[in-house]
Amino acid sequence: MVSHNSLEETNNGKSMNLSLDGIPESTKEELLNPPAKLLGQAMSGIIHAVFDPLIKFNIVRDQQLKDFEKKVQSGTNEIPEENRDDSKIGLALKALEESKYQLDSEELREMFANLISSTVDNRKNDSVQPSFSSVLKDLSPLDANLIKLFAGENHVPLVSIRIQDDNGTGTEFNSNTLIFDDDIIENELSLFSLERLGLVMLNPTSELKSKNNQEKYQNFENHPSYSSLEQMLPIDSGEFVFTQISLNKGTAGLTPYGIAFVSCII
């Protein structure tokens, strides 16, 4: 039974209460009634309760809030009435609360809106975890764009370039470069951020064996990062003379947690 004055969710065994005090009773009824035809409208009432004070003090821009509200309304109103479920409504409110840190990013507004829709959709909300909104809060826009690329391919080649001398002593360049179908990403900071959050796992010594991925490894040797360094050989560092270049082949991919996460936010 859900109380209309507070909503209780469990997060790692701990009770989390989200107050609805100050929200009109009609909005509560619409929000807490799964077959309500105006679920998106009810969500808008909650959004204004959370964000209007921030608008007042210019912490959140009015245009950003309008765009976010539109995305939430659109996503929730598209849920068929028979699939609307209030069992995780507390997580929807948690996501609304934490979204206020990221409304300046178009990508993250979209992801938060999708997460909110997923929490009230019984076709998806079994996968929703209490931590998902906190993970979104911790993403940068670059991190968000990178997780979108992983959502499209799941596992991708991961490479680094190694140069060494004749004795095998060497160093690596362009570590943890990702090779997607349509893009090569050299953003180690965002990659480590996704790994830290448990979304992505890196395996720098296990290469992908499919023909398509083997071609990606091979084609990277024509990339300027590789070919320009190859043309510089031999490289005299003063202590070593590097005469050889090679490609270290690995894999980066979504974890099971990451797969569930992207299914709810993309």
Side-chain angles (χ1 to χ4, degrees):
M1 179 70 65
V2 180
S3 168
H4 285 199
N5 292 322
S6 65
L7 296 171
E8 185 173 294
E9 279 290 338
T10 299
N11 185 358
N12 296 326
K14 296 182 179 180
S15 178
M16 174 182 67
N17 291 299
L18 295 165
S19 176
L20 295 182
D21 293 340
I23 296 171
E25 195 65 30
S26 59
T27 298
K28 297 178 192 178
E29 291 294 342
E30 290 171 352
L31 180 64
L32 298 169
N33 179 13
K37 294 182 179 179
L38 299 177
L39 180 58
Q41 181 175 314
M43 282 293 181
S44 293
I46 304 296
I47 288 171
H48 282 283
V50 172
F51 288 100
D52 281 353
L54 302 180
I55 291 288
K56 180 179 178 181
F57 293 104
N58 295 319
I59 297 172
V60 171
R61 294 177 182 174
D62 186 58
Q63 192 57 45
Q64 294 171 349
L65 181 59
K66 288 179 179 178
D67 180 65
F68 182 52
E69 182 181 355
K70 181 179 178 180
K71 293 179 189 304
V72 173
Q73 278 191 323
S74 176
T76 52
N77 281 338
E78 288 177 0
I79 303 170
E81 288 188 29
E82 63 270 19
N83 296 118
R84 296 177 183 177
D85 177 17
D86 70 348
S87 64
K88 292 195 174 182
I89 197 69
L91 295 185
L93 297 181
K94 181 176 185 287
L96 280 172
E97 173 69 20
E98 295 191 310
S99 68
K100 66 188 180 185
Y101 300 100
Q102 294 284 22
L103 287 196
D104 58 341
S105 164
E106 166 72 24
E107 294 84 0
L108 287 161
R109 288 198 298 271
E110 181 77 29
M111 289 180 177
F112 266 109
N114 289 339
L115 176 59
I116 289 164
S117 297
S118 294
T119 63
V120 292
D121 187 338
N122 66 11
R123 298 167 298 180
K124 298 181 180 181
N125 63 9
D126 281 347
S127 298
V128 175
Q129 299 296 310
S131 56
F132 282 179
S133 60
S134 299
V135 169
L136 274 181
K137 179 171 65 68
D138 286 344
L139 294 184
S140 73
L142 288 176
D143 299 342
N145 283 324
L146 185 54
I147 198 66
K148 286 170 69 175
L149 291 175
F150 273 109
E153 299 187 41
N154 203 341
H155 286 84
V156 299
L158 177 76
V159 298
S160 62
I161 302 168
R162 179 175 175 80
I163 58 171
Q164 61 185 40
D165 64 15
D166 293 337
N167 296 319
T169 300
T171 187
E172 292 187 358
F173 290 82
N174 298 85
S175 298
N176 297 308
T177 297
L178 298 163
I179 309 175
F180 292 93
D181 283 340
D182 300 317
D183 207 357
I184 292 175
I185 304 295
E186 298 176 348
N187 186 349
E188 198 170 33
L189 186 60
S190 283
L191 185 59
F192 285 164
S193 176
L194 299 185
E195 183 186 36
R196 177 185 65 83
L197 293 167
L199 301 174
V200 168
M201 180 168 56
L202 309 182
N203 191 332
T205 60
S206 178
E207 65 182 277
L208 295 166
K209 299 296 186 180
S210 71
K211 180 180 178 181
N212 179 51
N213 285 312
Q214 285 295 311
E215 288 176 352
K216 289 180 181 179
Y217 290 123
Q218 184 175 352
N219 290 339
F220 185 78
E221 295 181 8
N222 297 318
H223 189 271
S225 296
Y226 188 95
S227 59
S228 61
L229 195 58
E230 185 176 35
Q231 292 169 10
M232 292 171 61
L233 296 177
I235 299 172
D236 189 346
S237 71
E239 186 173 358
F240 303 101
V241 178
F242 301 114
T243 58
Q244 302 171 35
I245 186 171
S246 61
L247 192 66
N248 292 338
K249 303 174 183 178
T251 306
L254 293 175
T255 64
Y257 179 82
I259 291 171
F261 178 76
V262 299
S263 74
C264 296
I265 59 100
I266 294 176

